[in-house]
Amino acid sequence: MKIQNYIDFSKEKDFLYFVNRLEIDNQFIYSLINHYVEEYELQNYIKKVIIDPRLNHRFLAVYSLKKKLIRVNIKQIILDVIDLKRYSTPLNKWHYEVIYSELFAYIHHEIMHAMQCKELDENPNSILAKITKISREAQKNRPFYYKYHGLFPHEHHADAMASVIRNKFIYLNHLDTTNRDVQISKDGSQDETEVDRCNRIDAFYLINNYKIKDDGTISSPIEQFLEVYEKSDLSYSSDIYNTKTILENLIYGLPISKDLYDKISEVSTGKKKIANLHTFLLTL
């Protein structure tokens, strides 16, 4: 897949090119996907992109391995962001940077699904390939998939990676995260900068769907998924738990301690301010 007027998303100026126009350009989507198709070598997994306003609120962006395409409802994503953030019009540059960063996360979630399929083909014994295999088998039961969507291991992985990569992009490109209008946090009790917001969202997606059990311990997304997915082979799945870092455990939705959950939860709720979530995790 190759689009004319290709934009290089490794360069800050090309991202800001879209932001500074103070409008939403479909070329952003095409260029973003082009960039990561090449970086991740996904040419055999993504061949087409469709801007589709018919997609409903259940899934505003979808990836199809069979058709090798990504469909995305840009208009509804933008409206949802504006509504959620309670932005007033006309929108300014800061608003557009937030909107584009949200589009970045939506698109990268679907790119991660293509990446998962590639991993399953090329490295079938990796952790990512194993959680992808389990997820794709269970996904064939569509009612089950819709009901337990958030617990599916490949969905948790795609959510976490999309947020991590989006916010890493913001840090690496030194986007202006200090001299701008502040945001009001969810409970209205404090202001937050864009750095705070990125850390909070990252932390949210990393521990999303982890649950505190009655005995005070933490039930991970993959444990909850294996409990409800009756066809899973637990012996097949047991070696999934061999990871090296805290970040890997969180990205794959694997078991973590209550102490670790509490520390990350403080960041996800805005109670704790940190400079960089990934650096913070290395101290735990």
Side-chain angles (χ1 to χ4, degrees), residues 96-142:
Y96 275 98
E97 188 170 311
V98 173
I99 291 171
Y100 271 119
S101 71
E102 291 301 317
L103 283 170
F104 191 112
Y106 266 95
I107 295 302
H108 217 95
H109 178 106
E110 304 311 322
I111 292 172
M112 281 295 102
H113 283 322
M115 188 73 174
Q116 293 162 354
C117 294
K118 179 186 179 185
E119 183 73 5
L120 183 57
D121 289 341
E122 297 182 354
N123 301 293
N125 292 320
S126 70
I127 296 174
L128 179 55
K130 290 174 181 177
I131 68 171
T132 300
K133 181 177 180 179
I134 293 173
S135 298
R136 289 186 62 80
E137 289 173 352
Q139 195 175 5
K140 295 175 183 177
N141 182 336
R142 302 308 286 182

Side-chain angles (χ1 to χ4, degrees), residues 3 8 11 31 37 42-43 95 101 115 131 136 139 148 159 167 199 216 225 230-231 243 247 267:
I3 305 297
D8 184 356
K11 300 177 181 178
S31 296
V37 164
L42 295 173
Q43 291 86 349
H95 294 140
S101 71
M115 188 73 174
I131 68 171
R136 289 186 62 80
Q139 195 175 5
Y148 297 106
D159 272 344
N167 292 338
N199 285 325
F225 173 78
E230 298 177 354
K231 295 182 180 180
T243 60
L247 183 58
V267 179

Side-chain angles (χ1 to χ4, degrees), residues 45-110:
Y45 296 86
I46 301 175
K47 296 184 178 294
K48 190 175 183 180
V49 181
I50 298 176
I51 309 300
D52 189 352
R54 297 171 299 174
L55 289 176
N56 60 32
H57 272 80
R58 182 187 291 274
F59 302 112
L60 294 179
V62 295
Y63 168 70
S64 170
L65 173 62
K66 182 178 180 180
K67 297 181 179 179
K68 303 186 188 308
L69 67 81
I70 290 177
R71 295 162 59 209
V72 55
N73 186 342
I74 296 178
K75 181 178 180 180
Q76 192 59 55
I77 291 173
I78 294 169
L79 291 175
D80 285 356
V81 172
I82 292 174
D83 181 60
L84 180 65
K85 306 294 182 184
R86 296 185 176 89
Y87 289 159
S88 58
T89 54
L91 302 180
N92 61 32
K93 176 182 174 181
W94 186 85
H95 294 140
Y96 275 98
E97 188 170 311
V98 173
I99 291 171
Y100 271 119
S101 71
E102 291 301 317
L103 283 170
F104 191 112
Y106 266 95
I107 295 302
H108 217 95
H109 178 106
E110 304 311 322

